[in-house]
């Protein structure tokens, strides 16, 4: 099926993008609200875009009536935490997706405890299996007057579940022990990440040895 993006309105294009680019990791953002408390909200337009230096990218859309609290807080303080979401935390993550008024604490409503970060002022969600302390690198506006924003962030510290680290010196992680979930189609479909499989990546000489007699393609 062919879809000409130029003929689709924003809502239909959003449906296609979020149904076909799957699964997507979830950035459970915690930001300071400027009044001594914190805001928490999940975003699935998110991924790691560089390992050295470590850079994360989050896409934040703008509701019709006002900009999202998370974006306003990031613009003001330039610090935030990206928490990963485990299956055990899925329901509470879903609570924080509710569009509460700015002076409500999603963390309190969802019954989530936080612990201080090491390098920034924003705390992290204590029960999250992995968390990234971030400082804002750049804000990139998207679209013509849409208010959508791409947030580029430098990771300054990483926290991970002790049981998931199989070799500290080599930074080996057993992802199955993290139990992280991903986002599928909107509005409410998710996926577990326990069903995985392995494939060995071969170098060119190894590939040639495994495929004798194969010549250069024309």
């Amino acid at each position: 099926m062919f879809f000409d993006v130029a003929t689709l309105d924003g809502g239909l294009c959003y449906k296609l993008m979020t149904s076909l680019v799957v699964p997507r990791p979830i950035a459970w953002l915690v930001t300071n609200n400027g009044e001594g408390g914190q805001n928490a909200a999940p975003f699935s337009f998110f991924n790691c875009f560089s390992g050295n230096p470590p850079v994360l990218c989050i896409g934040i859309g703008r509701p019709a009536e006002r900009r999202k609290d998370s974006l306003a807080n990031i613009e003001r303080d330039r610090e935030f935490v990206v928490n990963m979401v485990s299956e055990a935390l899925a329901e509470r993550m879903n609570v924080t997706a509710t569009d509460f008024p700015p002076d409500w604490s999603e963390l309190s409503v969802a019954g989530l405890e936080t612990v201080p970060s090491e390098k920034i002022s924003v705390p992290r969600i204590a029960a999250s299996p992995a968390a990234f302390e971030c400082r804002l690198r750049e804000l990139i506006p998207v679209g013509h007057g849409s208010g959508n924003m791409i947030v580029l962030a430098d990771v300054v510290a990483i926290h991970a579940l002790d049981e998931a680290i199989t070799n500290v010196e080599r930074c080996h992680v057993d992802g199955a022990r993290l139990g992280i979930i991903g986002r599928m189609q909107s509005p409410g479909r998710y996926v577990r990440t326990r069903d995985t499989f392995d494939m060995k990546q071969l170098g060119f000489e190894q590939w040639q040895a495994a495929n004798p007699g194969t010549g250069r393609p024309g």
Side-chain angles (χ1 to χ4, degrees), residues 28-124:
W28 202 3
L29 296 188
V30 173
T31 56
N32 287 332
N33 65 12
E35 299 178 358
Q38 283 76 42
N39 171 269
F43 297 88
S44 64
F45 281 15
F46 157 66
N47 219 307
C48 170
F49 277 74
S50 173
N52 184 21
V55 174
L56 299 179
C57 181
I58 306 104
I60 299 182
R62 179 175 181 174
E65 65 279 5
R66 60 178 174 84
R67 67 175 40 188
K68 293 203 172 184
D69 299 330
S70 296
L71 179 58
N73 295 339
I74 290 170
E75 287 181 306
R76 183 189 62 249
D77 295 335
R78 305 183 67 84
E79 293 183 336
F80 57 96
V81 177
V82 172
N83 303 272
M84 303 305 289
V85 183
S86 66
E87 185 178 355
L89 293 173
E91 291 293 341
R92 282 183 279 181
M93 176 276 297
N94 198 41
V95 170
T96 67
T98 303
D99 188 19
F100 292 108
D103 58 343
W104 280 54
S105 170
E106 295 89 351
L107 293 166
S108 295
V109 175
L112 292 162
E113 294 184 1
T114 61
V115 292
S117 291
E118 296 293 331
K119 291 193 172 184
I120 64 174
S121 64
V122 184
R124 60 188 174 91

Side-chain angles (χ1 to χ4, degrees), residues 198-204 206-207:
D198 296 325
M199 288 193 297
K200 184 177 180 180
Q201 180 66 54
L202 300 178
F204 177 60
Q206 291 175 309
W207 183 88

Side-chain angles (χ1 to χ4, degrees), residues 58-62 67 71 75 138-142 146-151:
I58 306 104
I60 299 182
R62 179 175 181 174
R67 67 175 40 188
L71 179 58
E75 287 181 306
E138 185 178 356
L139 290 172
I140 305 173
V142 180
S146 68
N148 294 340
M149 196 75 72
I150 292 175
V151 179

Side-chain angles (χ1 to χ4, degrees), residues 2-19:
F2 167 74
F3 296 92
D4 185 348
V5 171
T7 67
L8 300 175
D9 66 29
L12 292 176
C13 196
Y14 175 87
K15 286 182 180 179
L16 279 175
M17 293 288 286
T18 56
S19 295

Side-chain angles (χ1 to χ4, degrees), residues 177-193:
R177 296 183 185 181
L178 297 172
I180 290 172
I181 62 170
R183 187 76 185 270
M184 296 293 284
Q185 292 89 343
S186 295
R189 182 164 293 177
Y190 296 85
V191 64
R192 300 176 180 89
T193 55

